[in-house]
Amino acid sequence: MIFDGKQVPPAILPEFAKFQGLEKLSLIDCGLRSLEGLPRPPNLRVLMLGDNHLDDLSPLPTCFPNLEKLSIVGNKIGFRNEMEPLTRLTKLRALDVEGNEICEIRGHDRWMADTFPRVKRFMITAYDVDSDEEDDDDISLFLSDESMDADDEEEDNVSDGPGESVPEVIQID
């Protein structure tokens, strides 16, 4: 379900509850300031919340425990403690934080890899307010189920040591 660029009135959010089989939801640039009132479809695997005004991610693990891919591009995430609730998303495999202030913190890429050991793919970059460019190939790669399946096959064939897995970090300059 895609609502990109549409102001979603809070009164309509409870209507999403009717879509129990919903697996992908995109609310990019919808003017969201809070996650309060978002529906809780039990099968949601992909959530796109880019270009809103979010700074509190704490409801996500409770609302969407089955998330595998999350994009919070271009929000107001500026501190590591604001990301920590996402560690409770045990099925999370892809995380896109590009364009958030947290990306300006020195060593944030290593911190992300250490904090989210189950995540196989990160999209991170330094915050660039002057850039209006968007790389569709990077977004397609992030959303692609096939690329995650290929990563799973590679992981079966490659050992990084006893019990260790190194996530793919995609740094965009």
Side-chain angles (χ1 to χ4, degrees):
M1 192 172 285
I2 300 172
F3 289 93
D4 296 351
K6 309 282 190 276
Q7 295 295 320
V8 180
I12 200 170
L13 291 175
E15 295 297 316
F16 289 167
K18 294 177 184 176
F19 302 102
Q20 292 297 305
L22 186 65
E23 291 188 4
K24 297 179 181 181
L25 177 60
S26 183
L27 295 166
I28 296 171
D29 192 24
C30 289
L32 297 177
R33 298 189 179 283
S34 161
L35 297 172
E36 187 176 324
L38 279 182
R40 297 178 182 203
N43 297 319
L44 195 70
R45 296 181 313 107
V46 178
L47 181 59
M48 309 295 287
L49 294 171
D51 298 322
N52 284 291
H53 307 280
L54 301 173
D55 62 2
D56 180 12
L57 304 174
S58 61
L60 287 174
T62 304
C63 294
F64 310 109
N66 294 313
L67 274 185
E68 295 173 12
K69 298 178 182 182
L70 174 64
S71 174
I72 52 173
V73 171
N75 277 283
K76 305 290 182 191
I77 309 303
F79 300 99
R80 291 175 174 169
N81 64 330
E82 294 168 343
M83 295 288 298
E84 288 183 7
L86 302 182
T87 61
R88 296 191 316 269
L89 291 168
T90 59
K91 297 181 180 180
L92 191 65
R93 298 294 179 261
L95 179 60
D96 187 353
V97 299
E98 181 181 0
N100 280 281
E101 293 170 5
I102 192 169
C103 295
E104 293 180 9
I105 298 173
R106 176 176 228 132
H108 72 279
D109 50 350
R110 177 67 352 212
W111 177 84
M112 296 273 294
D114 291 344
T115 303
F116 300 97
R118 290 182 294 265
V119 173
K120 296 178 184 177
R121 177 167 293 121
F122 293 100
M123 296 284 286
I124 54 180
T125 187
Y127 187 69
D128 183 2
V129 289
D130 296 328
S131 177
D132 290 329
E133 294 180 27
E134 188 173 285
D135 191 334
D136 289 335
D137 291 337
D138 291 329
I139 291 169
S140 297
L141 178 65
F142 180 78
L143 290 175
S144 169
D145 286 330
E146 292 80 20
S147 66
M148 291 296 286
D149 294 340
D151 288 345
D152 291 341
E153 289 173 17
E154 276 183 33
E155 188 174 278
D156 292 341
N157 298 327
V158 178
S159 176
D160 295 318
E164 292 183 26
S165 175
V166 177
E168 176 182 359
V169 176
I170 301 172
Q171 182 76 32
I172 302 170
D173 296 319

